[in-house]
Amino acid sequence: MTCPICRTPTEWKNNPWRPFCSERCQLTDLGTWATGGYRIPGTPLTIDSERPIDEDPDPPQTGSITPDN
Ligand SMILES: [Zn+2]
């Protein structure tokens, strides 16, 4: 299977971060919907509930992802 974030082929078995390849990608995904990218209805939020999700103080940086270069 492939990590939905970075498209890296990753193992499903024994992978605590599935369907992602790593914790980093899992957090990236969390960040995506925490900033209004998308939402999963009925999913309990375990992120900071003190912080109102209102505006995006840190726009996502694309520097870490290098597409075709
Ligand atoms: Zn990944």
Side-chain angles (χ1 to χ4, degrees), residues 6 12 15 24-25 28-29 39 47 49 53 59 62 64 66-67:
C6 68
W12 180 271
N15 179 3
R24 190 180 71 91
C25 283
T28 299
D29 190 66
R39 282 207 213 167
I47 54 174
S49 52
I53 301 173
T62 53
S64 58
T66 43

Side-chain angles (χ1 to χ4, degrees), residues 31-45:
T32 301
W33 52 263
T35 52
Y38 60 92
R39 282 207 213 167
I40 303 173
T43 302
L45 298 178

Side-chain angles (χ1 to χ4, degrees), residues 2-10 19-26:
T2 309
C3 173
I5 300 299
C6 68
R7 311 292 182 195
T8 298
T10 183
F20 310 102
C21 69
S22 66
E23 186 177 19
R24 190 180 71 91
C25 283
Q26 188 184 50

